Amino acid sequence: MADIKQHFWDDMVHRWAGLYAEAFPKHGDISTQNFWGYAFVIDHVWDPPPGEDADPELPETRVLGAFGISGYPVNPKNRNIMRRYLGKSSRVYAEYGPSYDKGHFIAHATGGPIDANLFPQKREINRGWSKEGKRYREMERFVAAHPGIFVFSRPIYSDLGSCPFEVEFGYCDSKMNWRVEVFPNR
């Protein structure tokens, strides 16, 4: 698993950043940051200096991908903290409508953190209410039941907002079998 993680550090981060830069030539500073053992590739768009307007052609600060070796929940209390973090999903993601939750790029049950890890995710996917959602939740449950396997998530954006159009999600099990799927999010 360490070799796969290193491959993502060495190659996939650059590939993801390249694909993103092709789709969004005007972007912020792309960097990779660690949160609780997971790497997050982030396009950080800085606030303009006082008195200046934000550039309307720049995207919001957002995650381009996350990956790492699955573990255990960071803190059992995080579930309650997440419910309170930023407020109710219906208020936080009001611009996308009432059908969005605070989803995780990396599930909390596998050691995913709260802050950079949260994104507006279609409720039917996040909660497993649709056909695609059932597959998504099945994959998350598999990763949670098998700590120590490689997992990744890559949002695919269609506009300048922080809500992905699709989310590519995958893992590699202990026998080196990959499962990768793309899930709708709009």
Side-chain angles (χ1 to χ4, degrees):
M1 293 301 142
D3 290 344
I4 295 170
K5 187 174 180 183
Q6 191 62 49
H7 166 69
F8 268 69
W9 268 109
D10 295 343
D11 299 323
M12 294 306 290
V13 166
H14 300 291
R15 180 172 162 76
W16 287 350
L19 290 169
Y20 180 78
E22 283 178 25
F24 300 96
K26 200 166 187 181
H27 54 78
D29 295 325
I30 297 174
S31 65
T32 305
Q33 301 173 24
N34 279 308
F35 295 95
W36 294 98
Y38 286 97
F40 284 79
V41 184
I42 299 171
D43 177 8
H44 190 92
V45 178
W46 301 96
D47 291 334
E52 290 186 29
D53 292 330
D55 185 337
E57 295 179 21
L58 282 174
E60 294 179 15
T61 293
R62 56 195 183 177
V63 170
L64 309 185
F67 62 91
I69 307 298
S70 65
Y72 297 97
V74 177
N75 177 345
K77 293 180 183 177
N78 276 0
R79 211 159 181 68
N80 291 330
I81 293 169
M82 189 193 71
R83 286 189 181 115
R84 293 188 311 266
Y85 188 72
L86 299 174
K88 290 185 172 193
S89 297
S90 58
R91 182 182 61 79
V92 175
Y93 301 135
E95 66 189 281
Y96 304 112
S99 61
Y100 283 83
D101 280 340
K102 288 180 224 157
H104 293 76
F105 290 115
I106 302 294
H108 174 71
T110 62
I114 294 175
D115 40 28
N117 193 29
L118 297 179
F119 73 101
Q121 185 176 28
K122 284 189 74 120
R123 188 167 287 148
E124 65 186 39
I125 301 293
N126 190 40
R127 297 185 186 189
W129 292 349
S130 66
K131 180 180 172 184
E132 295 92 349
K134 287 179 186 355
R135 288 196 325 270
Y136 184 82
R137 294 291 296 145
E138 173 192 336
M139 290 175 72
E140 280 191 324
R141 281 191 298 275
F142 180 88
V143 174
H146 298 87
I149 66 172
F150 182 81
V151 62
F152 77 91
S153 184
R154 182 178 70 98
I156 301 165
Y157 299 99
S158 62
D159 59 24
L160 301 177
S162 62
C163 183
F165 180 72
E166 297 174 316
V167 176
E168 181 181 38
F169 180 64
Y171 61 80
C172 181
D173 68 21
S174 60
K175 296 178 183 172
M176 302 306 287
N177 296 311
W178 285 89
R179 180 170 179 192
V180 179
E181 293 199 35
V182 177
F183 297 93
N185 199 54
R186 288 279 185 104

